[in-house]
Amino acid sequence: MPSHPTVGRADAPVTGYRDLLRTREFSGLYVGLTLTVAAGALSGIALGTLVDQQTGSPFLTAVSMYGATFATVLGALTLMSVADGKRPRRTLLVLQLASLAGVCAQAVPGLPLAARFVLLLFLGLFQSLGTGARLGLLAEVVPVSAYAPARSLMNITSGGTAILGYAVGAVLLRHAGPQAVFVVAASLTALGAAVVAATVREHSVRPTRRPGLRQTWRTNAELFSHPGRRALLLALWVPNGLVVGCEALFVSYDPGHAGIYLAAGSAGMLLGDLVVGRLLTAGQRRRHAFALRLLLAAPFLLFAVHPPAPVLAVAVFLAGAGFAATLPLQEQLLELTPEAIRGQVQGVESAGRMTCQGLGAAIAGGLAQGIGPGAAIALTATASLAVTLLIRSSRRVRG
């Protein structure tokens, strides 16, 4: 299949969601991602339910539902260079088919728990590499001016799809059981691969070296040796991860209102992505990035003084909007990244962000053990603000 390395580069700027969805290749990547996220939510809740039924362990249940996020760092450290191979479309399809095989294996009745956790790690690795390949293709199929709106639309849909997937999964579990949910997840994964195969052309960034472990390490070393990219990655990973740690303490802080806080944060995140990605220009996004990074953490300081639940819900909603700071930061990272390694760099950024979120939850949970949930939330938010201010003062990232 012919390569089209510069498709979309010289086109007129595309800024509207409807304009993006009229683009065949973007629509394919978008629908494929949506189906993949839905399948992940369904398989996650099915596996968590199975583990809970068999072990009764909250720790193992939590690991079974979110442990795949820790495996994403393995992809970033080992084979992420495959995202910039000569045939990224083929790479994405192979990874999706590998994920399909893993989900199908989870559907096997009576599979030992040890085997399920091994499969979970492999699925996390495939998802990590698939994210890199998908984002590398995204940078090829849309013009640079449409990159932030494209990521915004994907973020909004992914968040909403995950919420809907968990809700549908809960209903299916009640009436059909975990194995049936795995079958539905496998069907969605297969459909996602079929959509990509039918809509996305092959693109090539023509790497100078063969993808593999050595090339991954070499590119990662070059990535972190650049002060601007290093500062951008820190800004994308650490404040975000610490704030997710704050959210991880909602249940411990106030079990009766935790669901409201989580819903408020999700609503704020969706609205922030919509406004920043759709309504602001690239220049406006960059000018407001620093304020958004402050907004991400500052409202959580209120948890130290225990105001009424409605006040905290509004604060969490506002903080959720601050997650939209990732859009201008990702734009800047794209600008500083050579085309030949964009897939790997974006894959590393995504994997690092997810890993830092898991670490943030662990750090906040450890603090809560000693000083209580409210104080731990405020202290973790303070750390997030401190990192943002430190990066700002270094003048390596401009908000």
Side-chain angles (χ1 to χ4, degrees):
M1 201 171 285
S3 298
H4 301 271
T6 59
V7 170
R9 299 283 186 236
D11 295 346
V14 180
T15 56
Y17 291 157
R18 282 184 294 183
D19 292 321
L20 283 166
L21 292 172
R22 291 190 189 104
T23 305
R24 177 183 174 86
E25 291 188 281
F26 172 78
S27 294
L29 290 174
Y30 170 77
V31 173
L33 173 65
T34 302
L35 292 169
T36 299
V37 171
L42 289 173
S43 60
I45 193 170
L47 181 58
T49 300
L50 268 178
V51 172
D52 181 64
Q53 289 174 350
Q54 294 184 28
T55 69
S57 168
F59 173 76
L60 289 177
T61 301
V63 169
S64 69
M65 292 187 67
Y66 299 105
T69 61
F70 288 100
T72 60
V73 74
L74 298 177
L77 294 175
T78 56
L79 298 173
M80 190 59 76
S81 58
V82 303
D84 294 308
K86 291 184 178 180
R87 296 185 179 276
R89 171 186 176 273
R90 183 176 63 183
T91 299
L92 178 58
L93 288 174
V94 169
L95 291 167
Q96 288 197 273
L97 291 175
S99 295
L100 173 60
V103 177
C104 289
Q106 292 281 22
V108 175
L111 190 69
L113 281 183
R116 293 192 184 279
F117 279 103
V118 170
L119 283 170
L120 184 67
L121 291 176
F122 277 107
L123 285 170
L125 176 63
F126 297 146
Q127 290 165 3
S128 172
L129 301 177
T131 296
R134 182 179 288 106
L135 293 178
L137 279 167
L138 177 64
E140 293 290 319
V141 304
V142 302
V144 173
S145 62
Y147 180 78
R151 288 295 297 265
S152 168
L153 180 56
M154 284 182 161
N155 291 346
I156 291 169
T157 306
S158 294
T161 300
I163 295 170
L164 182 61
Y166 284 127
V168 172
V171 174
L172 289 175
L173 283 169
R174 184 172 299 176
H175 294 92
Q179 264 70 39
V181 178
F182 279 128
V183 171
V184 175
S187 300
L188 293 177
T189 303
L191 183 58
V195 169
V196 172
T199 58
V200 180
R201 295 175 294 175
E202 190 60 273
H203 293 256
S204 176
V205 292
R206 296 185 176 90
T208 57
R209 295 180 178 86
R210 172 176 288 188
L213 181 62
R214 182 177 299 178
Q215 181 61 21
T216 297
W217 286 356
R218 182 181 292 112
T219 301
N220 284 348
E222 195 276 334
L223 167 64
F224 286 100
S225 69
H226 187 287
R229 288 197 295 262
R230 186 168 62 242
L232 280 166
L233 288 172
L234 288 174
L236 280 160
W237 291 350
V238 181
N240 181 308
L242 290 169
V243 167
V244 169
C246 295
E247 296 177 339
L249 296 179
F250 286 163
V251 173
S252 300
Y253 177 83
D254 185 353
H257 294 96
I260 295 174
Y261 299 150
L262 288 169
S266 297
M269 190 187 318
L270 295 179
L271 181 62
D273 274 327
L274 176 63
V275 172
V276 174
R278 178 66 182 87
L279 302 181
L280 301 186
T281 65
Q284 290 172 330
R285 283 192 291 271
R286 183 166 298 201
R287 286 193 296 274
H288 290 92
F290 178 63
L292 286 169
R293 295 201 297 274
L294 295 179
L295 180 64
L296 176 65
F300 284 100
L301 299 178
L302 285 174
F303 279 82
V305 296
H306 307 286
V311 174
L312 288 179
V314 172
V316 172
F317 173 83
L318 294 174
F323 277 107
T326 58
L327 293 174
L329 293 175
Q330 287 166 342
E331 280 184 305
Q332 293 177 60
L333 182 63
L334 191 69
E335 292 172 5
L336 293 176
T337 303
E339 288 190 21
I341 59 171
R342 281 181 173 176
Q344 179 172 341
V345 169
Q346 292 179 94
V348 168
E349 183 272 318
S350 177
R353 185 154 36 88
M354 294 177 71
T355 301
C356 283
Q357 289 174 0
L359 292 174
I363 291 170
L367 287 172
Q369 288 288 115
I371 63 176
I377 290 173
L379 185 57
T380 304
T382 300
S384 177
L385 288 170
V387 172
T388 293
L389 293 170
L390 182 62
I391 295 173
R392 173 74 167 186
S393 65
S394 72
R395 298 185 179 179
R396 291 173 181 169
V397 179
R398 286 182 168 82

